[in-house]
Amino acid sequence: MQIILVTGGVGFIGSNFIFKVRKKRWANIINLDKLTYASNPQTLEELQHDPGYHFVHGDIGNIELLRNLLEQYQPNAIINFAAETHVDRSILSPQDFIQTNILGTFQLLEASRAYWEKLSPQKREQFRFLHVSTDEVYGSLSPAEPAFREHTPYAPNSPYAASKAGSDHLVRAYFHTYGLPTLTTNCSNNYGPRQFPEKLIPLMILNALNGKPLPIYGDGQNVRDWLYVVDHCEAIYQVLQHSRIGETYNIGGNNEQTNLTVVEKICTILDELAPKPNFRHSSLMTFVKDRPGHDRRYAIDCSKIKSDLGWEPKENFDSGLLKTIQWYLSNLSWVEQVQSGTYQTWIKQNYGDRKAKRVAQ
Ligand code: NAD
Ligand code: TYD
């Protein structure tokens, strides 16, 4: 069976990927994760007795650790999910983003190159380095502009997007310069089970359940293309298995929504699943001070992955959102664990001076 070294696999997308791969018995997994604030060790607890899953606590920036891991486990592929991922945090403290997303990816590429160069010709041929990136590297679209294609010029606007763009360029350079068999995927906003509640959808679900304000930045008309995380994980696996080396693929949900619509839909579902007498969750919606440099619209054209690999998203937004909300309602101990300690500090830091401008009617 294939062995995949996954980095950042305790996080949202990585953990969903690992569950999928182990459930299908597609590969054995080594999961290297630093366990930052964004991870919850409870996430992968149910795999603790799975002999095809092994967790290693560590940093992708630690080259000695990487060398030892590669030597010991001899993976056929590496999938790099590890990153600092939250735009608002990158605005308040960009340092960690440069450290992990740029320098960490660089160390991972260096260790991978040294390992790959020593493999037998057959194993070299099979080896893949797949880098998971974002549509945010392409910048912001106006309402009428066509969706991002793989050849759309990079124009990152936030420190997060700039750090991911830097890592994408390094991956590209390692393919062109050293021949390392790399693949890059640029996906849109994911949603689904196990997402840390600093991102829009889980934050709104949990605030609404707790009767707290639902803070909508600016006018709420910013648009994101929402991709169900399970669809995304399937796309990554398709790219890993079938893509030509050196390719990049955009992965999206064909599902553009304004933030206001997303929050309204969450409120409507919660009115049904968690009703309170004489109360509508939408009464908690509050417009607050905008994010600095807030990108107006992201949209992904995923026709290349459809025509090359036959992948397209299966989940529609209403059913995906319902499943997501049901997951949070059924996993309150997971929620409790991530909402303790440093999470409260973050909420004060990010929302403390975003005074409510207007409460939605
Ligand atoms: P996440 O924040 O939920 O998880 C990131 C994981 O990486 C955490 O478990 C964390 O502990 C780990 N990590 C952070 N720094 C590390 C380091 N130096 N060494 C090892 N592990 C480290 O992120 P996610 O939402 O699962 O995103 C995964 C990848 O997908 C990221 O590269 C992100 O840029 C990309 N992406 C995410 C989205 C999205 O909507 N979530 C959209 C586009 C792209
Ligand atoms: P987010 O989930 O942080 O993802 P990204 O910034 O990477 O797209 O935010 C999604 C959208 O929701 C984005 O336009 C910012 C907006 N947003 C709010 O309006 N309020 C919030 O409290 C958060 C976290 C995000």
Side-chain angles (χ1 to χ4, degrees):
M1 197 184 280
Q2 261 203 329
I3 299 171
I4 304 177
L5 172 63
V6 163
T7 71
V10 187
F12 166 48
I13 306 174
S15 61
N16 278 283
F17 181 81
I18 291 172
F19 276 124
K20 179 106 209 161
V21 168
R22 288 308 302 148
K23 202 167 158 201
K24 299 267 183 190
R25 295 290 184 263
W26 282 335
N28 290 336
I29 298 282
I30 314 302
N31 178 11
L32 171 66
D33 198 297
K34 190 179 168 186
L35 298 180
T36 69
Y37 77 90
S39 60
N40 181 351
Q42 212 182 313
T43 297
L44 287 156
E45 244 170 26
E46 63 189 87
L47 292 184
Q48 62 188 328
H49 302 299
D50 176 350
Y53 170 75
H54 187 71
F55 174 69
V56 179
H57 183 196
D59 191 324
I60 58 165
N62 181 344
I63 190 117
E64 277 309 310
L65 171 68
L66 292 172
R67 284 196 189 117
N68 292 339
L69 272 182
L70 293 171
E71 189 58 38
Q72 184 182 351
Y73 291 104
Q74 300 280 309
N76 311 92
I78 297 174
I79 306 184
N80 184 28
F81 292 96
E84 290 291 336
T85 63
H86 187 33
V87 173
D88 291 320
R89 284 189 194 253
S90 84
I91 294 168
L92 288 171
S93 46
Q95 175 81 33
D96 290 346
F97 289 73
I98 308 307
Q99 193 64 43
T100 284
N101 300 1
I102 302 182
L103 297 174
T105 303
F106 164 68
Q107 300 290 18
L108 189 61
L109 283 163
E110 273 295 274
S112 304
R113 177 167 74 96
Y115 165 73
W116 170 74
E117 281 173 350
K118 286 199 217 122
L119 290 173
S120 67
Q122 196 202 354
K123 282 195 134 189
R124 269 169 72 106
E125 186 69 27
Q126 289 166 351
F127 182 79
R128 296 289 181 270
F129 181 104
L130 192 155
H131 178 61
V132 178
S133 190
T134 168
D135 58 358
E136 302 194 24
V137 296
Y138 299 121
S140 183
L141 294 167
S142 65
E145 269 180 292
F148 302 130
R149 302 286 304 269
E150 285 76 0
H151 56 259
T152 301
Y154 274 31
N157 289 321
S158 69
Y160 163 67
S163 67
K164 291 297 290 187
S167 65
D168 293 9
H169 291 323
L170 283 171
V171 172
R172 178 188 160 90
Y174 271 66
F175 171 68
H176 283 277
T177 305
Y178 304 112
L180 186 72
T182 65
L183 304 160
T184 301
T185 55
N186 295 85
C187 67
S188 58
N189 288 60
N190 284 225
Y191 70 104
R194 304 180 196 87
Q195 186 168 32
F196 189 78
E198 63 187 353
K199 306 281 168 66
L200 180 75
I201 290 181
L203 181 99
M204 295 296 169
I205 298 170
L206 299 183
N207 277 19
L209 284 172
N210 292 321
K212 294 188 176 156
L214 308 181
I216 298 163
Y217 297 165
D219 62 3
Q221 293 305 316
N222 302 67
V223 172
R224 300 293 183 260
D225 169 8
W226 292 96
L227 168 65
Y228 192 61
V229 66
V230 176
D231 278 337
H232 181 203
C233 293
E234 281 168 6
I236 289 172
Y237 192 70
Q238 290 282 327
V239 173
L240 184 71
Q241 293 302 310
H242 302 298
S243 168
R244 278 198 313 264
I245 58 171
E247 287 289 353
T248 69
Y249 282 102
N250 283 356
I251 306 172
N254 291 335
N255 174 42
E256 287 183 55
Q257 307 278 347
T258 65
N259 294 338
L260 201 56
T261 306
V262 171
V263 179
E264 281 166 355
K265 281 178 184 285
I266 291 171
C267 291
T268 307
I269 296 175
L270 285 175
D271 286 344
E272 280 215 1
L273 297 188
K276 293 182 189 147
N278 303 319
F279 176 78
R280 292 207 167 273
H281 289 90
S282 58
S283 65
L284 299 169
M285 285 166 53
T286 308
F287 290 94
V288 299
K289 192 170 126 195
D290 208 352
R291 170 188 280 173
H294 194 174
D295 283 341
R296 194 65 174 164
R297 172 175 167 244
Y298 303 140
I300 283 262
D301 179 334
C302 47
S303 49
K304 180 178 169 189
I305 187 169
K306 185 175 177 194
S307 66
D308 283 6
L309 307 178
W311 177 90
E312 57 186 331
K314 293 187 199 122
E315 195 70 54
N316 78 58
F317 191 54
D318 288 339
S319 62
L321 197 56
L322 180 63
K323 282 186 200 169
T324 304
I325 293 175
Q326 283 167 333
W327 187 87
Y328 281 93
L329 287 171
S330 318
N331 289 276
L332 291 174
S333 81
W334 185 94
V335 168
E336 254 170 52
Q337 184 132 348
V338 291
Q339 283 189 312
S340 62
T342 55
Y343 180 74
Q344 299 306 331
T345 315
W346 163 251
I347 294 294
K348 281 201 196 90
Q349 222 183 342
N350 192 44
Y351 296 98
D353 71 347
R354 282 185 207 267
K355 299 274 175 286
K357 286 182 141 177
R358 179 162 63 87
V359 176
Q361 293 307 309

